[in-house]
Amino acid sequence: MNSNSSNVMALTSTTSNKKETVCIFGTGDFGRALAYKMIQSGYSVVFGSRQTQISSLIPKGAEVLSHTEAAQKAPIIFIAIPRQHYNFLLPLAEVLHGKVLVDVSNNLKLNQYSQSNAEYLAQLIPGARVVKAFNTVSAWALQSGTLDASRQVFVCGDDKKAKQMVMDIVRALGLTPLDQGSLLAAQEIENYPLQLFPMWKFPIFLSLGLTVFFFFYSLIRDVIYPYVNEKKDFSFFIAISIANRICPILALILLALVYLPGVLAAIIQLYRGTKYSRFPDWLDKWMLCRKQLGLVALAFAFLHVLYTLVLPIRYYVRWRVNGGVISQVLNNRTDPLNNTYAWLSDSYVALGILGFFLFVLLGITSLPSVSNSVNWREFRFVQSKLGYLTLILCTAHTLVYGGNRFLYASSYRWYLPNAYMLSLIIPCIVLVVKFVLVFPCLDKPLTRIRQGWERNPRYSE
Amino acid sequence: MNSNSSNVMALTSTTSNKKETVCIFGTGDFGRALAYKMIQSGYSVVFGSRQTQISSLIPKGAEVLSHTEAAQKAPIIFIAIPRQHYNFLLPLAEVLHGKVLVDVSNNLKLNQYSQSNAEYLAQLIPGARVVKAFNTVSAWALQSGTLDASRQVFVCGDDKKAKQMVMDIVRALGLTPLDQGSLLAAQEIENYPLQLFPMWKFPIFLSLGLTVFFFFYSLIRDVIYPYVNEKKDFSFFIAISIANRICPILALILLALVYLPGVLAAIIQLYRGTKYSRFPDWLDKWMLCRKQLGLVALAFAFLHVLYTLVLPIRYYVRWRVNGGVISQVLNNRTDPLNNTYAWLSDSYVALGILGFFLFVLLGITSLPSVSNSVNWREFRFVQSKLGYLTLILCTAHTLVYGGNRFLYASSYRWYLPNAYMLSLIIPCIVLVVKFVLVFPCLDKPLTRIRQGWERNPRYSE
Amino acid sequence: MNSNSSNVMALTSTTSNKKETVCIFGTGDFGRALAYKMIQSGYSVVFGSRQTQISSLIPKGAEVLSHTEAAQKAPIIFIAIPRQHYNFLLPLAEVLHGKVLVDVSNNLKLNQYSQSNAEYLAQLIPGARVVKAFNTVSAWALQSGTLDASRQVFVCGDDKKAKQMVMDIVRALGLTPLDQGSLLAAQEIENYPLQLFPMWKFPIFLSLGLTVFFFFYSLIRDVIYPYVNEKKDFSFFIAISIANRICPILALILLALVYLPGVLAAIIQLYRGTKYSRFPDWLDKWMLCRKQLGLVALAFAFLHVLYTLVLPIRYYVRWRVNGGVISQVLNNRTDPLNNTYAWLSDSYVALGILGFFLFVLLGITSLPSVSNSVNWREFRFVQSKLGYLTLILCTAHTLVYGGNRFLYASSYRWYLPNAYMLSLIIPCIVLVVKFVLVFPCLDKPLTRIRQGWERNPRYSE
């Protein structure tokens, strides 16, 4: 490195050994926490406040001045006061001219105001360069250093240089800035911390709806029917037997719903002969929440496994098994080993175990840190190939469990088929269509379409 | 982009196509590994060493010169030699003037020296700009590229520009720099790699203590009592039966201890009428290790589930169940289905399953990569709402398991109540107090206090 | 911050409020997705295309010009066209002189060309500064924002400044650039997205081989032998019984293979008296895939747990247990509790549970996000200390399970010992050697060697 480059470095760095100064308007929780963290990271902090007396709560080393004085000391000012009080900045417009104003505010409700706080600020002080940032970070997390909940700081603003300055500070505090573009993104950034699992809403409501349906369906078949017909009280079935009927059904249906949109998309692409037409909106949305659908399905599968494994511990199951033994003994009869039934029972259980194992594997690879460390081909291999294998195993598990039961009239109560039969409809459709799609006569054109080929090209490039 | 900005870019970048040179003092393991990684990332490396002959261990492409010559070649010098040998730098003070010295050293014990190595170095060579960095990265990880253990590089130093130069190198090596402020942080950074789960110490020692207590408690009730009173040898209970008594008790107590400090904090805030007074130190510490407490509780819950599920496989359980059947048969008696008992048994198991399921969910969301990808509101929803639901379910599970047993004298042996009764004390207290706190007459003032309201404001802002 | 530093900042930033312009050659999937994301992040995008008419697919706000015009507008040009068409750039050589060309291309096969696409491009347009980047990011992920699969962007190039410019763009898009050094790394970067779990190949093929061997071994002993000798058809054993024999055997062997290379390395170091000689290549490779070996072992252990827990649900097991009860009753006999057997059965199960619990703990700490948040000492404590404890528990579990069975002739069928005995060979060797190595007479010199001491130093530093 020659001396020339050294000089350049000296120029680009900011005031070498002097600390950079930042200004914070507002001495509330967030302002103080921010100041605390910034001082720790080597910044010099000056508060702008109406009361310039130093309270014991102000972090050590920070100065407290009037708003005007404080603003003059630093090129960047954090506006850590609620939107309702932004008006008080109006008299300071001249001092704030050219300054970078960082809007860190949050609202209490989604879309509380038609205009985002940051845009409102930019409109109030047109001479300032407004940047939205830090609203997703909590005061408590800043101060205690337990930034578990989120290290990501969304940043947006119309001035590239101002944004860069803010992002440098974000990085200096050990956080990760994410540039979200112009100030238009402020509304979305302000809504972000108010969201409650938006991607999970559809999967969870869907599964709740299905749970209610299958609960009453099973209640009628397994509790009300025997009560009406045989005056037997099996109401305790609600706790485990019915729950263990609902869980596998939902796991299977939701898993099939993860793969259904992909199959639909393939059909649409084949029909249209191009991949350049947009899918219908519902299909796009469906495809984006496949991961969530799959994880909800995994949760039901996990519950199904637990409910199944406790079977031999249940008083009712023990009573029934013991009853069988006692009746054998009293009739002086010993049932021989039924080889076919042993095969059926074992293979049905084995299919379930393998299916659940792959399902857990899928779940683990969808953890953010795991999916970040595999490449795209590996991710698709796991989520597509292993995913379909899981679906096949789970469907087979249900089919073998049913065996030839759906032929017997006894499994229809009040003309209602066994609930698990209903659960097989969607998985079987998905698997059959997928099976058809892998035939070369369909797979070849589909692959070509996905590589950009068009049956009726609209314009030649 | 106009030509002007292009020129600026040319200025700011360093010597365009020429590689940047860094100097490393010391050809030990770490020095060589660092050189290897830097050469790979496009730097030119020169070693300063007493022996300037090139050994086969020096990475290809690195130069080896005398200390003085090497130091002159680069603006940044990595001091990869043990603290005991720092003295040899004294004669080089002039050459090192203005250079950035990176202290990468580690100690063998916590707080081995009263002054951190980096501060000692800065005092030895006052003209140099000392930066502490890279001490948390292992030579093996650098060389093999398997940076599993940690990508984070803590950086601290008094000179902002020097720190920036080091952080740029850290980033260029594919690692993540974390600015820890001034050189005062060096002591803490040097202690960091010597720590062994500091946050886990309290939870683990607490659970060890509780484990020992409940082990002997159960031993007396379940093994010694029947031996003394009935001359029955149940010593094999130690392996599973007693373990499966300790695990759920500890899981429940530790889970309750996760939520107890929050309840205490609320009471203190209500009593004081402000949130601006510091909590007592023990409460602060307790709140910071809640996550660890919860995970230890989850570990015990997981063991409890395994111990419970193997019940029907155990020889002793089979023997007892078979004995029951045989005695029924020999007495020519068939026990009818006890509906109440079926309800109790099933709902107790179902509550346990649901509680464990939510517990696992809590554990998954506390994985760093998962908690990083949710916003603050979502994190609190899971950890607070779902957490309390888990506590309620697990407490109910234990209550239903006990049933009305605590009324019977037979469950008191030598006046000792069943161990699970002791485990219910803390969870019930937490739940009752929490239930009281959600009443509007207490919840409203608490919410206002947490938003910054003070009953006796000390100073008006 | 004084006015001087402000001026410098103004200089270094690029054209303040004007957006930076980037050029993209090629309007295919990737080019469009990249443009979409860049416009979102505040860049101004201009396409270079043969057809300058704006199609509906071009993201809003992007301009489409001829290649020459587009190239003149921006200092950075993304070449989003297949390698086969790179020739068309030749006539543009003059316009491209000095420009940063970003090669984003991928191949269809590993090492498809002897020269990487980026090097080929650099050779075609010698005046341009070629940077390889973005090839690991998929168009779909860019456009939909679901960057689950990978946020890491590998960057390499011979020109440091050009690389820096590209890395700034990577960061602005919310991705993480990883500098891989000079353009020589392009081949590896181009191969990366085509790899399919390269580190997993050896563990998976090894376990497949072992699975096949133990499957046939168990088939002969457990199905064919009884069929030949006693004409009994136990073919249904394949589904669960044999699977549950293979799984624990493989889990134990693979776990032992995780710790065998460490033991071998210690022996080699002790024998050579230095740590500075390279290990044989196979040992190096083995050591690098220990994590994968361990995770495959965990998968088998997980399956073993599931297969074991379903035992009491199996029809065959119920039939056999019931048979035992019935025969007791018919013979008017009640077996007394066998205390020794109760001890053996319970402790064998308890050891298995504890071993599996620690195994799961090891698996969790090997998740990238968890291992990133612990320091090196903690990571080694878990992976080494807890790892050996797991191995000891699992080996003890298998030994106690076997009990003194290997003394009985009945456990040898056709002179074949029980399969689990074979599985004990490697773990016992590892544990015995490790036990010998912890004796001070061997541990002391080993520790000194690992700290750099050499028995026959080749050169004195």
Side-chain angles (χ1 to χ4, degrees), chain A residues 257-276:
Chain A
L257 288 180
V258 171
Y259 292 97
L260 186 53
V263 163
L264 291 179
I267 293 173
I268 290 175
Q269 286 179 338
L270 270 177
Y271 175 77
R272 289 182 179 167
T274 175
K275 70 163 177 175
Y276 293 117

Side-chain angles (χ1 to χ4, degrees), chain B residues 304-413:
Chain B
H304 168 50
V305 168
L306 285 180
Y307 278 124
T308 304
L309 291 179
V310 297
L311 280 185
I313 301 174
R314 287 175 63 195
Y315 162 73
Y316 168 70
V317 173
R318 283 192 175 163
W319 172 82
R320 223 182 46 188
V321 169
N322 291 349
V325 176
I326 292 167
S327 85
Q328 278 187 50
V329 172
L330 295 184
N331 299 324
N332 212 351
R333 168 175 62 85
T334 320
D335 291 341
L337 180 64
N338 181 338
N339 230 296
T340 318
Y341 196 65
W343 254 113
L344 269 179
S345 146
D346 273 16
S347 56
Y348 134 69
V349 170
L351 284 167
I353 288 175
L354 292 175
F356 179 66
F357 169 71
L358 286 182
F359 215 155
V360 169
L361 213 67
L362 285 177
I364 291 171
T365 52
S366 73
L367 283 172
S369 67
V370 176
S371 60
N372 272 337
S373 63
V374 300
N375 69 35
W376 189 245
R377 190 174 166 217
E378 292 164 345
F379 186 72
R380 280 202 30 199
F381 173 81
V382 171
Q383 295 296 330
S384 170
K385 296 273 158 60
L386 286 195
Y388 268 107
L389 190 54
T390 309
L391 185 57
I392 292 171
L393 285 172
C394 292
T395 310
H397 167 68
T398 314
L399 281 169
V400 174
Y401 163 75
N404 48 10
R405 218 179 291 186
F406 60 95
L407 294 177
Y408 301 154
S410 70
S411 56
Y412 294 87
R413 297 177 177 171

Side-chain angles (χ1 to χ4, degrees), chain B residues 27 51 68 74 141 145 197 206 250 273 314 319 353 408 418 434 436:
Chain B
T27 55
Q51 303 283 333
T68 316
F197 298 110
L206 176 69
L250 261 92
R314 287 175 63 195
W319 172 82
I353 288 175
Y408 301 154
N418 220 317
K434 181 72 189 174
V436 171

